[in-house]
Amino acid sequence: MNFWIVLALLFAAWLGLVYHFWRREQGPKQPYDERQEQARGVAYKYGFLTLAVCVFLFDTVMTLFPWIGTEVGGYLCLDLGVTVFTVTAIRRDAYLRLYERPGKVAALLALGGLGGLGCGVFDLRKAGLLVDGTLNVSAALVAVSVSVLLTLTVFLHKHFSDRREDEEA
Amino acid sequence: MKNLRLKSARAALDMSQQQLADAVGVSRQTINAIEKGDYNPTIKLCIAICRALGKTLDELFWE
């Protein structure tokens, strides 16, 4: 192995140790409260079940729609599972950590969604929708970006309804 | 079942849900869910809420 790679790995390990001991000094911090932990458990369950159903149906769908391609199909399955988890967590007020600011999360979702969508569409226009008879991998990027933007929509809707509720309370 | 005693105890101290949530270390939505009867808190959280509002467990959570 290259000397510099070993040095970089050792440095990364040292940084990791420093961070670990620094966090221990800070004391235990609960990122989510008990209700949120419970709700996230339900969200993980739904996300996992969605993924399991997708895997179960994968073969049938690939037989019926071979132009999707196994790579894009796999990414779409993962995307669906993660989206179900995220949307469930948002709807149950278990997505944001206790002291996390919604603006930062919304900005990251918007950036990720729009950035991915832009890159995906650009690549699809350049390389085409189909490559060797199956969907271009960028189609998966477009689908994932659309999911992220859908998640953002759900997040913003929840955030504004919560604010109205907050004012009434 | 709605917990109106919790809501009125909080209102008596002129505390918002957010302020109570910050005092006990949970989210505002959790306090809202407890007041609406959508969530049953653990005994640990019940005790923390009682301490924050200066009430006993019986006064806030016994039926």
Side-chain angles (χ1 to χ4, degrees):
Chain A
M1 213 187 236
N2 188 303
F3 169 75
W4 295 110
I5 292 173
V6 171
L7 197 63
L9 286 172
L10 284 172
F11 181 68
W14 175 77
L15 271 180
L17 272 172
V18 167
Y19 178 74
H20 167 72
F21 286 115
W22 175 76
R23 278 305 305 260
R24 250 174 52 167
E25 283 294 310
Q26 302 291 308
K29 259 187 195 170
Q30 289 280 70
Y32 304 103
D33 67 32
E34 55 182 56
R35 184 199 58 84
Q36 287 178 313
E37 289 282 359
Q38 208 178 73
R40 286 178 75 85
V42 174
Y44 279 125
K45 182 177 81 177
Y46 289 165
F48 172 76
L49 285 174
T50 304
L51 187 60
V53 167
C54 286
V55 167
F56 183 69
L57 296 174
F58 192 78
D59 205 34
T60 311
V61 171
M62 287 300 118
T63 309
L64 290 172
F65 308 104
W67 48 266
I68 293 176
T70 47
E71 195 178 355
V72 171
Y75 287 136
L76 291 178
C77 287
L78 280 170
D79 175 47
L80 198 58
V82 170
T83 304
V84 165
F85 162 76
T86 314
V87 167
T88 307
I90 290 170
R91 287 177 57 83
R92 287 167 184 255
D93 299 310
Y95 188 66
L96 288 178
R97 288 187 176 88
L98 279 178
Y99 303 109
E100 197 166 24
R101 283 182 293 179
K104 187 178 102 175
V105 172
L108 282 171
L109 286 173
L111 209 67
L114 292 172
L117 191 64
C119 292
V121 166
F122 177 77
D123 190 60
L124 283 177
R125 289 183 73 174
K126 205 171 81 169
L129 185 62
L130 293 175
V131 175
D132 296 333
T134 57
L135 276 179
N136 186 341
V137 170
S138 296
L141 180 58
V142 169
V144 167
S145 304
V146 167
S147 302
V148 170
L149 292 173
L150 170 74
T151 303
L152 174 64
T153 311
V154 172
F155 180 83
L156 290 173
H157 178 260
K158 193 78 179 76
H159 174 67
F160 289 118
S161 338
D162 277 358
R163 267 177 72 173
R164 246 179 286 129
E165 211 175 73
D166 197 17
E167 281 155 20
E168 285 160 22
Chain B
M1 200 165 168
K2 284 190 181 185
N3 194 332
L4 296 168
R5 285 177 286 174
L6 171 57
K7 191 169 182 175
S8 49
R10 180 176 59 78
L13 291 174
D14 203 23
M15 265 178 128
S16 65
Q17 286 183 338
Q18 186 63 61
Q19 285 170 325
L20 179 57
D22 290 341
V24 300
V26 298
S27 62
R28 185 201 64 79
Q29 291 85 353
T30 298
I31 298 296
N32 187 47
I34 296 170
E35 288 182 0
K36 282 164 77 173
D38 291 338
Y39 174 69
N40 289 324
T42 59
I43 191 74
K44 190 177 165 187
L45 181 53
C46 288
I47 291 169
I49 291 171
C50 289
R51 283 204 179 119
L53 297 177
K55 298 281 183 187
T56 64
L57 280 171
D58 280 351
E59 285 172 321
L60 292 184
F61 296 103
W62 184 254
E63 284 176 24

